[in-house]
Amino acid sequence: MVHEALGIAPQHLARLHPADTVPDTVAWLVVTATRHLDHVHQQLIDAAQNAASTLSRVASGTSPVNSLGVLQNTATQIDILAARRADAIEHLQHALHTYCQVTAPASTPTHPAHRPGKALPPPTSSSASAPRTPRR
C-alpha cells in the first residue's frame, strides 16, 4: 500500500526526512502501521492455512472429527484476525493520508492551518450561509 501510494518502500520512507521533524515522525507512524499490518496479515494467513490443513485432513478421512467441532476456536480466531487486519488497513490509510498532507508542497496547502488564538476559517460548503436550526 505504501509503495502504491508514495512510490517508495516503507523501509526507505523513514530515511527521507531530517530527524525529529514532523514529516519524520509521521513517516515513522506510516512505517509502524505498515509493520503492524504485515504482522496481522501473516497471522491471518497462518490461521487460514492451519484451518485449511485441518479441513483437508478431515475431508480425506485422515483426521478424526472432534464432537465439539472441526475448527473449534480456529474459526473465531480467523474472524478476529480478519477484523484486526481491516482495522490495520484503515489505520495505515489514515497514516498515509496524514503523511501526504504533512509533506505536501507549501504552495498547495490541503487545508488552512489553524493556530491557537486565531479564528477558524469560515466553512467552504454552500450550506454555510443557511441558518442552523437546533436538533431536538
Side-chain angles (χ1 to χ4, degrees), residues 102-127:
V102 166
T103 59
S107 61
T108 58
T110 54
H111 295 291
H114 173 67
R115 290 184 174 73
K118 298 216 178 205
L120 287 172
T124 57
S125 68
S126 60
S127 64

Side-chain angles (χ1 to χ4, degrees), residues 22-93:
V22 172
D24 177 58
T25 301
V26 178
W28 277 105
L29 291 173
V30 170
V31 170
T32 302
T34 302
R35 288 178 183 161
H36 176 69
L37 174 57
D38 288 346
H39 178 72
V40 172
H41 182 74
Q42 187 59 52
Q43 287 179 316
L44 178 59
I45 289 171
D46 293 345
Q49 287 175 339
N50 183 31
S53 175
T54 299
L55 291 172
S56 293
R57 286 192 311 273
V58 168
S60 68
T62 59
S63 178
V65 176
N66 186 334
S67 63
L68 298 175
V70 175
L71 295 178
Q72 296 176 2
N73 295 330
T74 305
T76 302
Q77 179 187 17
I78 290 171
D79 286 343
I80 291 169
L81 287 169
R84 287 182 58 206
R85 182 179 176 273
D87 288 342
I89 289 170
E90 186 176 340
H91 181 73
L92 178 55
Q93 289 171 335

